[in-house]
Amino acid sequence: MSTPVSVENAPEPAAHAPSSPPQAEARMGRAFWELSKPAITRMVLITTGLGVLAAPSPTLLSDLVPIVLGTGLLVAGANALNMFIERESDAFMQRTRARPLPAGRLEPDAALAFGVSVSIGGLILLAQFASMLAVALGVFALLSYVLVYTPLKRVSPIALYVGAIPGGLPPAIGYAAVTGSFDRVCTCLFLLLLVWQIPHFLAITLFRSEEYGRAGLKVLPVVRGLPYTRKATVLWSGLLLLTSLLPVALGVAPLWYGAVALVAGLALCFFAARTLFDPSPKVAKQMFFASMPHLVVVMAALVISVI
């Protein structure tokens, strides 16, 4: 186990040469854009949109856009608040030390103001165009991600499972925004994304364990070791396969969807199992990258099957 390290030993941010006002504004805009974690926000936009499309009620483009945008803004704000809270530990990890706050490209107060204002903007947009259930889910996702999951990362590996709950809500928010309900289809969408996040993130920790340890974050490899984490990755990949077949068992999706989910799930289990026999970071990275098309294929197939 590792202990939290002092930010005093973090690398000094690189000095920037003086720039003209337009360049400074562009740099500032880029820094705020990075606060939103664009890759994660983009995935949220896609999964929220899929949730909207899966709803049985007809959806107009004029409804789809504000629902997806509102959820995207909510998540972008939550990501910015996450970076604000983790600005010190981010300085100790190679993949996060160049973020705007540890690199000194933004002041913490600016990041805090951005995160709060963007989150509120997303909630207002949802309140105007979505059901109150969707708004309530959005509020829950925001508060649990920022106030529970983020600080818990420095305390226990349980944070991963706690954080998977708000992380799995975007398609449910999209679905509930149209229907005002959390029915079997909505539950399947939610559970699929919730469970998928766990082997996906465990794969990251397998090849980033030393960085997490330096940052004082209690991820599974730091607390229980790499062999235990590899076994957990295989276990959760198997559970993801079973979760992806749940829509067929519940009568929500047809058998052809089950065939797609089965093939995709077995392929992911293969990549997960390889980490048991080859502990190299390369194999863990292959598992991580394989998990992304798995989600796209299975979730898209599920949405198409229920439309």
Side-chain angles (χ1 to χ4, degrees), residues 5 34-35 44 49 51 55 111 128 138 163 167 173 223 230 234 261 279 282 291:
V5 270
E34 291 176 26
L35 279 181
V44 166
Q128 291 294 318
I173 292 174
V223 176
R230 294 187 187 100
V234 175
K282 178 181 178 181
S291 67

Side-chain angles (χ1 to χ4, degrees), residues 246-285:
L246 185 61
V248 178
L250 293 178
V252 167
L255 287 177
W256 72 259
Y257 160 77
V260 172
L262 179 62
V263 172
L266 288 174
L268 189 64
C269 287
F270 167 77
F271 281 99
R274 289 184 65 215
T275 65
L276 289 176
F277 304 102
D278 186 344
S280 66
K282 178 181 178 181
V283 172
K285 288 180 182 179

Side-chain angles (χ1 to χ4, degrees), residues 135-150:
V135 176
L137 291 175
V139 172
F140 171 78
L142 173 66
L143 296 180
S144 59
Y145 181 80
V146 175
L147 300 181
V148 182
Y149 163 70
T150 298

Side-chain angles (χ1 to χ4, degrees), residues 184 187-188 191 241-253 257:
R184 289 183 301 168
T187 300
C188 289
L191 290 177
L241 171 59
L242 295 177
T243 303
S244 68
L245 295 175
L246 185 61
V248 178
L250 293 178
V252 167
Y257 160 77

Side-chain angles (χ1 to χ4, degrees), residues 139-206:
V139 172
F140 171 78
L142 173 66
L143 296 180
S144 59
Y145 181 80
V146 175
L147 300 181
V148 182
Y149 163 70
T150 298
L152 193 58
K153 289 165 70 176
R154 302 188 70 88
V155 178
S156 169
I158 293 175
L160 169 59
Y161 312 110
V162 172
I165 298 173
L169 282 174
I173 292 174
Y175 187 94
V178 178
T179 65
S181 64
F182 206 109
D183 58 17
R184 289 183 301 168
V185 174
C186 189
T187 300
C188 289
L189 290 168
F190 167 65
L191 290 177
L192 178 60
L193 185 53
L194 183 153
V195 178
W196 172 85
Q197 294 170 87
I198 298 175
H200 173 76
F201 183 74
L202 287 176
I204 299 175
T205 65
L206 284 174

